[in-house]
Amino acid sequence: MKQRTSLFNCCSSLVAVVILFFTGCKKRDVLDLQSPSFPNRAEVFIDDFTPDLAYAAFGGSDVKAFQVDNQVSYGGTRQSMRFEVPDANSPQGSYAGGVFFSKTGRDLSGYNALTFYIKATQPATIGVLGFGNDLGENKYLVTLNGLAVNSNWKKVIIPIPDAKKLTQEKGLFYYSTGPENGRGYTFWIDEVRFEKLGDLGHASASILNGVDKQQISYVGVTNTIDGFTATYNLPSGINSTLSVSPNYFKFLNSNASVATVTEKGIVSTIGGGTTKITATLDTMTAKGSLTLNSAGNYVGAPVPTRDAANVISVFSDAYTNINVDYYNGYWAPFQTTQSADFTVNGDHVLNYTNFNFVGIQVTSPTVNIGSKSNLHLDLYLPDNLVTGATFKVRVLDFGANGTPGGGDDVSDIVSFTAPVLTARSWISLDIPFSSLPQLATKAHFGQIIFEGTNISNFFADNIYFWSNPVVPPVAAPVPTRLAANVLSVFSDSYTNLPGSDFFPNWGQTTVVTQTPIGGNNTLRYSNFNYQGLQLAANQNLSTYQFLHLDYYSANAGTLNVYLICPPGSPGGTAPWEKAFSLPVPTSGWNSIDIPLSQFTPQVALNNVFQFKFDGGGGSDIFLDNIYFWRIPPVPPVAAPTPTYPAAGVISIYSDAYTNVPGCDYNPNWGQATVVTQPQIAGNNTLLYTGLNYQGLQFGSNQNVATKQFLHLDYYTANSTALNVYLICPPGSPGGQAPWEKPFALSIPTANGWNSVDIPLSYFTPIVALNNVFQLKFDGNGTIYLDNILFR
């Protein structure tokens, strides 16, 4: 209800009342002071206002809606209360409503109901009637909702839930109602009094509308219990349900270490665990309860860091949100999803329970998201992830008419399952519009719909559309590879091939410029459709292994890079070029190392003379650090020093531990491999040159059954196949033929030494782990090995 806009007393002015208050005071000794007693007058309005009664109209109502009527009354009384409900959109006010209150307060503890008679000029439904509205705290408010009336007088009984509490009540009667079908009408009320009825029966009371709710919570979350009702059996035999203040109820808390509850039903979570909040009303146990399952301290979604200038926010505390109609449309009859949103330390979180689908709607107005390229959502699944769990996100555009279901809507949907979906940790989903191809227009965004299978509950935060700035805010990462292993085409970090043409005329629409970004020269392709890059001389790349690119695009839908050799080049095949697809748009600079083997057999790597980029559709592409590179044939640094406790290690080859004595690192098994032990940065290292296969014989058979892993550090610049075998003697109990099993190692080692821990369980049941005596390596290339041990 709103604050009053008019105040008057039909018997005496407010000024006279104030004077009476002052003139009724005299000096008294403090010891003589006693708790004041309040009159227990029952009458509110019989033929006129009682001496302490005043009236205040609600703000926005017709302040002249109420008048004392001396023409119409109930029974033999002389006057009644007349209420003239205005027409819709009346300039005098949009409804009739106000409060009849005692200026002094009354003791109503001896009564059990408010009664009155009512009739109207026509059949109508009175919005609310009741008592306890005192224009202040309204502590003991009681409301009868939707009372049907007609042109006949009838008696209305509004029971008092617990009269013991009403020892100084000021709110004696209140009402509020609007027009019927846009037209006003008149109703009368008479004989308004409090009574002690002997035939009034209790039926039931409820909180949360009688529902037993279960809710996930965290320390700092506040929940407000609502849905307070009391139902009474009236003398007529009819049950009447009232909305009542929570202050009539006494709340019971099963675990005070988990939550606290105030007399107004505000529940604050203070610890981890489970508690159940129930209530009583006078002598009745209320139906309904709130069970909180607190997970303790709350860990929120990651705080977004994207520039607000590049964001259109639907729900986030980090940005200013657009105008949203609702975050849960409660679409009957098929939706089961409910909302239990919460706030922790100022962090607002959407909480959807009993989830099947739910919609967020934006129509006032719809929003143009055409300048954005992605939808972001932070998602949290508080329950265990079950088999078949699926989470779907649908985005809808309402078309030019801006109306849902208007005939020109377009939408598309994307699905997520495990392993993207995980339980009890925040999942940040960034959905590129390129994955929503049927969302053909984006100028009238209107809805996001979440759909789920085998997901009963989820939290959502930071729902927003975004795009990267067209121009990268920072320069591309500075490369760190040794110049001796690099052939650079475009980079400020290396000496580039001289004479390259970065803008050959191939009939393209692309505009090429070199733009300084963070002081670093950067290639920019504007209005991009395709673009060539002509090397000054044909290049032999056969000794290199990778093409490196740094690229950035906030608005490209597709982007490909081609390597090209002249038609007819020996070692190549038509069409003498091959594309590699680059993921776009980017969320910053993307650094990629493409194996040159991706371009074979179409491209003869010993005779490359051009690049080509295509895709784009008028987009903007930024490129930097275009170069070829190779893994150094010799490791530039020693293998990492292991730090496992020596007591738990069986070392075969390592300077960090005492090795098993007597090991033969080059047994004669007829292999072509050349074995040496060079030092790298002062560290002994096994080197296999020209590997076909190579054995390693332990000084004695080893029981590694109590260990968990075989550890290796290895390095290779040119191997295309590399396996390690663990071997036990044929016939060993616990093993079986062929008594050895290979494990494939990832090669080449593009980023330096590879450290691998192979679970020994991988080699069972072929290898008896209590009796291993050999290792074997096979494959090709030049291999460096160190720190061969069991742990």
Side-chain angles (χ1 to χ4, degrees):
M1 291 299 176
K2 300 177 181 178
Q3 291 296 320
R4 62 192 181 193
T5 57
S6 175
L7 177 63
F8 63 90
N9 184 333
C10 293
C11 298
S12 59
S13 70
L14 179 59
V15 174
V17 173
V18 173
I19 294 172
L20 177 63
F21 289 162
F22 279 100
T23 58
C25 294
K26 66 179 183 177
K27 184 176 180 181
R28 299 175 62 187
D29 191 281
V30 174
L31 296 177
D32 293 333
L33 291 177
Q34 299 177 0
S35 297
S37 60
F38 292 83
N40 61 356
R41 181 189 295 272
E43 297 80 10
V44 178
F45 186 100
I46 302 300
D47 275 328
D48 208 338
F49 274 47
T50 54
D52 66 331
L53 190 65
Y55 173 73
F58 290 138
S61 72
D62 184 345
V63 299
K64 296 183 179 180
F66 163 68
Q67 298 292 334
V68 175
D69 191 323
N70 58 13
Q71 301 296 317
V72 177
S73 63
Y74 174 76
T77 61
R78 294 179 291 108
Q79 297 185 121
S80 68
M81 303 184 340
R82 185 179 75 242
F83 303 93
E84 296 179 355
V85 180
D87 292 340
N89 303 315
S90 167
Q92 281 73 42
S94 59
Y95 70 102
V99 174
F100 296 86
F101 63 97
S102 167
K103 298 188 292 290
T104 59
R106 295 189 190 179
D107 182 354
L108 304 176
S109 60
Y111 308 104
N112 63 0
L114 170 70
T115 67
F116 54 87
Y117 291 86
I118 188 169
K119 79 168 190 173
T121 55
Q122 65 178 54
T125 299
I126 308 299
V128 294
L129 296 156
F131 60 89
N133 190 323
D134 58 10
L135 299 176
E137 183 182 359
N138 302 336
K139 187 173 183 179
Y140 295 115
L141 189 70
V142 175
T143 303
L144 175 63
N145 298 285
L147 176 68
V149 297
N150 56 34
S151 58
N152 299 313
W153 286 104
K154 75 172 181 179
K155 187 174 183 178
V156 177
I157 298 172
I158 303 179
I160 300 174
D162 186 357
K164 297 189 301 295
K165 297 179 179 290
L166 304 187
T167 57
Q168 45 184 316
E169 181 58 50
K170 291 185 177 181
L172 302 183
F173 180 72
Y174 87 101
Y175 75 100
S176 179
T177 195
E180 295 279 327
N181 299 316
R183 301 304 302 271
Y185 62 97
T186 300
F187 68 93
W188 292 266
I189 292 176
D190 202 356
E191 298 287 301
V192 185
R193 58 166 56 91
F194 289 92
E195 294 190 62
K196 180 73 172 181
L197 302 177
D199 50 358
L200 190 64
H202 282 120
S204 63
S206 67
I207 65 173
L208 297 167
N209 296 312
V211 175
D212 293 316
K213 288 183 64 175
Q214 296 246 358
Q215 190 161 320
I216 295 169
S217 190
Y218 297 89
V219 173
V221 172
T222 297
N223 293 276
T224 301
I225 296 176
D226 55 14
F228 298 97
T229 64
T231 302
Y232 296 87
N233 187 254
L234 303 182
S236 63
I238 296 173
N239 284 343
S240 176
T241 298
L242 309 172
S243 298
V244 300
S245 164
N247 291 287
Y248 283 105
F249 289 79
K250 178 181 179 181
F251 295 98
L252 306 174
N253 182 1
S254 69
N255 191 342
S257 68
V258 175
T260 62
V261 56
T262 70
E263 64 179 8
K264 296 183 181 298
I266 298 171
V267 183
S268 300
T269 304
I270 59 173
T274 299
T275 190
K276 186 175 185 179
I277 309 297
T278 56
T280 60
L281 174 58
D282 198 4
T283 60
M284 292 184 293
T285 298
K287 299 176 183 177
S289 63
L290 174 63
T291 299
L292 291 181
N293 298 303
S294 172
N297 292 323
Y298 174 74
V299 177
V303 177
T305 57
R306 292 187 172 95
D307 191 330
N310 304 310
V311 167
I312 296 175
S313 182
V314 177
F315 180 86
S316 178
D317 289 325
Y319 304 108
T320 300
N321 299 318
I322 58 175
N323 187 34
V324 175
D325 299 348
Y326 51 73
Y327 293 103
N328 185 343
Y330 295 99
W331 294 331
F334 302 109
Q335 177 180 324
T336 63
T337 308
Q338 300 295 308
S339 288
D341 305 338
F342 59 87
T343 303
V344 186
N345 300 323
D347 184 10
H348 296 80
V349 182
L350 296 175
N351 180 13
Y352 296 110
T353 62
N354 200 27
F355 171 57
N356 64 340
F357 64 88
V358 66
I360 298 171
Q361 181 162 293
V362 176
T363 60
S364 303
T366 59
V367 176
N368 185 349
I369 57 172
S371 65
K372 307 307 170 192
S373 57
N374 299 268
L375 168 62
H376 178 91
L377 163 68
D378 287 324
L379 174 71
Y380 186 96
L381 305 177
D383 301 319
N384 290 331
L385 195 67
V386 301
T387 302
T390 304
F391 187 82
K392 299 180 180 180
V393 182
R394 180 182 294 275
V395 182
L396 292 90
D397 185 282
F398 288 158
N401 61 27
T403 303
D408 57 352
D409 299 4
V410 293
S411 71
D412 209 346
I413 193 167
V414 63
S415 298
F416 299 94
T417 58
V420 174
L421 298 183
T422 58
R424 287 182 289 278
S425 63
W426 282 100
I427 308 158
S428 292
L429 303 176
D430 284 289
I431 304 169
F433 286 166
S434 60
S435 67
L436 301 168
Q438 295 181 51
L439 190 67
T441 61
K442 306 175 186 67
H444 301 89
F445 159 68
Q447 283 180 351
I448 298 172
I449 300 175
F450 303 125
E451 304 173 27
T453 304
N454 293 334
I455 295 174
S456 61
N457 185 196
F458 75 93
F459 307 158
D461 201 355
N462 301 319
I463 304 170
Y464 59 83
F465 299 98
W466 64 276
S467 62
N468 281 315
V470 171
V471 178
V474 296
V478 177
T480 58
R481 292 189 172 91
L482 294 176
N485 301 307
V486 167
L487 180 66
S488 181
V489 177
F490 184 90
S491 176
D492 281 356
S493 296
Y494 304 107
T495 300
N496 299 317
L497 291 170
S500 295
D501 185 354
F502 298 106
F503 193 25
N505 184 8
W506 293 2
Q508 69 274 22
T509 63
T510 308
V511 176
V512 179
T513 56
Q514 293 191 36
T515 302
I517 296 176
N520 191 64
N521 285 319
T522 306
L523 270 178
R524 177 173 185 171
Y525 295 167
S526 302
N527 195 30
F528 172 62
N529 64 336
Y530 65 90
Q531 180 59 48
L533 193 163
Q534 177 75 51
L535 302 178
N538 296 16
Q539 298 297 316
N540 181 358
L541 307 178
S542 58
T543 62
Y544 294 88
Q545 294 156 302
F546 298 94
L547 166 63
H548 178 90
L549 299 171
D550 291 323
Y551 67 100
Y552 178 105
S553 179
N555 52 16
T558 57
L559 179 61
N560 303 296
V561 58
Y562 296 74
L563 211 53
I564 308 174
C565 67
S569 296
T573 62
W576 319 103
E577 64 180 34
K578 188 175 179 182
F580 184 89
S581 177
L582 301 171
V584 285
T586 65
S587 58
W589 282 98
N590 270 17
S591 296
I592 191 168
D593 292 285
I594 307 168
L596 292 176
S597 58
Q598 290 287 328
F599 298 101
T600 60
Q602 287 84 354
V603 178
L605 295 179
N606 63 351
N607 197 30
V608 172
F609 78 136
Q610 288 173 341
F611 287 88
K612 182 175 75 175
F613 297 86
D614 70 11
S619 57
D620 296 88
I621 310 295
F622 294 83
L623 296 165
D624 200 0
N625 301 316
I626 306 171
Y627 61 81
F628 303 99
W629 67 279
R630 58 189 165 217
I631 302 170
V634 177
V637 296
T641 302
T643 58
Y644 311 118
V649 167
I650 298 174
S651 180
I652 305 301
Y653 187 90
S654 176
D655 282 356
Y657 301 101
T658 301
N659 299 319
V660 171
C663 291
D664 186 353
Y665 300 115
N666 191 15
N668 184 9
W669 292 1
Q671 70 272 19
T673 309
V674 176
V675 178
T676 56
Q677 295 190 49
Q679 284 202 342
I680 297 176
N683 192 64
N684 289 311
T685 307
L686 268 177
L687 171 60
Y688 295 166
T689 304
L691 174 69
N692 62 338
Y693 64 90
Q694 179 61 44
L696 194 162
Q697 178 74 47
F698 301 166
S700 58
N701 294 17
Q702 297 296 311
N703 179 1
V704 297
T706 62
K707 307 304 178 187
Q708 294 178 290
F709 299 98
L710 167 61
H711 176 90
L712 299 172
D713 292 323
Y714 66 99
Y715 180 103
T716 178
N718 58 2
S719 178
T720 59
L722 180 60
N723 302 293
V724 58
Y725 297 71
L726 193 60
I727 308 173
C728 66
S732 297
Q736 62 187 49
W739 319 104
E740 64 180 34
K741 186 177 180 181
F743 180 89
L745 299 171
S746 299
I747 44 82
T749 54
N751 296 309
W753 285 94
N754 271 17
S755 296
V756 64
D757 287 284
I758 307 167
L760 290 171
S761 58
Y762 170 83
F763 297 102
T764 62
I766 306 301
V767 179
L769 296 181
N770 62 352
N771 195 30
V772 296
F773 77 136
Q774 290 173 341
L775 292 171
K776 182 175 74 174
F777 295 85
D778 67 14
N780 57 47
T782 300
I783 313 296
Y784 291 83
L785 294 166
D786 201 357
N787 301 315
I788 305 171
L789 55 89
F790 300 96
R791 67 175 186 88

